[in-house]
Amino acid sequence: MQRWRGLEDIPEGWGRSVVTIGSYDGVHRGHQLIIGKAVARARELGIPAVVVTFEPHPSEVVRPGTHPPLLAPHDRRAELMAGLGVDAVLILPFTKEFSKLAPADFVVKVLVDKLHAQVVVEGPNFRFGHRATGNVATLAELGTTYDYTVEVIDLYERGAAGGGEPFSSTLTRRLVAEGDVAGAMEVLGRPHRVEGVVVRGAQRGRELGFPTANVETLPHTAIPADGVYAGLLQVEGEAMPAAISVGTNPQFDGTARTVEAYAIDRVGLDLYGLHVGVDFVAYLRGQEKFDTLDALLERMAVDVKLARGLIAEAEAEAEANAEEDAG
């Protein structure tokens, strides 16, 4: 899959394409419907499918200080989109100047002159252009002038998550913030992942017999509520069952909020300096301060046992579902 950072990266002579535009933070199951439809139309027409997205998040430029917690960095989103069959991702630098483009100017500058859109696929609430004055009706009207068609896809998937709310990035962020990582997983169609580089911490976990990877998370990352979770530590393509702690480590009067992952049944790991992912599968308990160090160690052993069992169950369920889908 091609990745372009700015209009100038689009190859000369780029032909017609099917395009969809949006932040697509998280690439949740609603997003997957839209992107999947764009890919399907591209295959029917024999032309590429292109996703257009923005960096930084438009809200940070229009209303500084309102950057929402991010569910996935751009590299992760691109990876997920590639898995859906997208041929190219265009990341447009979102600046104040860019935010002032009228809807028609945006269409000409991006969709017509550069991507030569033949079909544009969007959700019903898509907005674009200065002060978000353009909508899908505007997009379709401009299409009659600039020779492209617009297809609107209802992305309102629902499930048990959030009490049956339509799947959205906003819902997912709320579920993550509440520690409902199982609900977030339903919306996303996979575990919520936090990424970052492993850095040296106080190394208390190593002293206690539970060495953890202390992950320095990326800016604006959506981090689950303080507590202990079962999940996976993703290291260079390997998924390791893990017990994960999020919080300030009150047992030792900590103040900095950290994400630490203990790779279960693994010894001798040296992860310092590596970029890793932490996938959150299940919530185990809240953050606690125990009366004694022995009580903490006993509880940590229980956490690890619970995490090991939950991850094994999740993997078995995923394998069964894959076999059912294949059948």
Side-chain angles (χ1 to χ4, degrees):
M1 184 185 73
Q2 298 188 53
R3 302 186 192 189
W4 307 320
R5 288 191 171 270
L7 295 173
E8 64 280 358
D9 278 358
I10 300 172
E12 290 290 332
W14 183 260
R16 306 215 68 174
S17 55
V18 176
V19 182
T20 183
I21 310 159
S23 290
Y24 290 126
D25 185 21
V27 193
H28 59 67
R29 287 168 59 188
H31 293 154
Q32 291 167 30
L33 288 177
I34 299 175
I35 295 171
K37 179 61 175 180
V39 169
R41 289 292 285 124
R43 298 295 178 270
E44 290 170 10
L45 296 168
I47 56 179
V50 181
V51 174
V52 178
T53 188
F54 309 96
E55 188 176 31
H57 193 283
S59 67
E60 183 64 17
V61 175
V62 178
R63 296 178 300 278
T66 64
H67 199 307
L70 292 180
L71 299 170
H74 278 291
D75 284 348
R76 174 66 170 154
R77 291 182 222 176
E79 177 186 315
L80 294 166
M81 291 172 185
L84 296 172
V86 171
D87 298 294
V89 173
L90 169 61
I91 302 172
L92 289 175
F94 199 88
T95 61
K96 282 190 176 181
E97 181 183 4
F98 190 87
S99 74
K100 294 175 182 177
L101 283 178
D105 293 335
F106 174 90
V107 164
V108 172
K109 187 178 181 71
V110 179
L111 296 180
V112 179
D113 288 350
K114 286 293 186 177
L115 295 176
H116 310 293
Q118 183 168 337
V119 180
V120 181
V121 181
E122 295 297 340
N125 293 332
F126 173 68
R127 309 289 298 207
F128 70 106
H130 186 48
R131 297 187 183 277
T133 51
N135 56 24
V136 289
T138 313
L139 194 63
E141 182 180 351
L142 289 165
T144 61
T145 301
Y146 294 110
D147 189 29
Y148 64 81
T149 59
V150 174
E151 297 184 12
V152 181
I153 306 300
D154 183 356
L155 72 164
Y156 291 126
E157 289 280 283
R158 297 175 186 265
E165 284 188 38
F167 291 166
S168 68
S169 297
T170 300
L171 171 61
T172 312
R173 292 186 191 107
R174 192 183 83 214
L175 294 170
V176 169
E178 293 171 351
D180 185 359
V181 295
M185 183 160 55
E186 182 187 13
V187 180
L188 294 169
R190 64 183 185 280
H192 172 58
R193 177 174 297 179
V194 168
E195 296 185 31
V197 174
V198 178
V199 297
R200 292 189 184 276
Q203 297 190 310
R204 292 194 186 93
R206 187 175 301 277
E207 295 168 4
L208 297 174
F210 295 94
T212 59
N214 189 341
V215 182
E216 187 174 65
T217 56
L218 300 174
H220 304 297
T221 295
I223 299 174
D226 290 356
V228 179
Y229 299 83
L232 297 167
L233 179 60
Q234 302 281 352
V235 182
E236 296 181 331
E238 182 179 1
M240 308 176 189
I244 306 156
S245 173
V246 178
T248 57
N249 205 340
Q251 192 73 32
F252 300 98
D253 300 321
T255 55
R257 195 161 184 255
T258 61
V259 176
E260 300 180 63
Y262 167 64
I264 299 172
D265 300 327
R266 300 297 295 266
V267 295
L269 290 175
D270 183 4
L271 306 178
Y272 292 123
L274 294 183
H275 184 96
V276 303
V278 180
D279 289 351
F280 290 81
V281 174
Y283 175 85
L284 298 182
R285 62 175 175 88
Q287 185 175 241
E288 298 178 53
K289 183 173 183 177
F290 295 87
D291 293 334
T292 66
L293 191 57
D294 285 343
L296 168 63
L297 290 170
E298 288 176 11
R299 181 66 235 199
M300 290 171 72
V302 171
D303 293 337
V304 169
K305 182 178 180 180
L306 288 172
R308 184 190 288 113
L310 286 168
I311 294 302
E313 288 178 16
E315 289 176 342
E317 183 179 349
E319 187 175 329
N321 290 339
E323 290 177 357
E324 184 176 327
D325 292 342

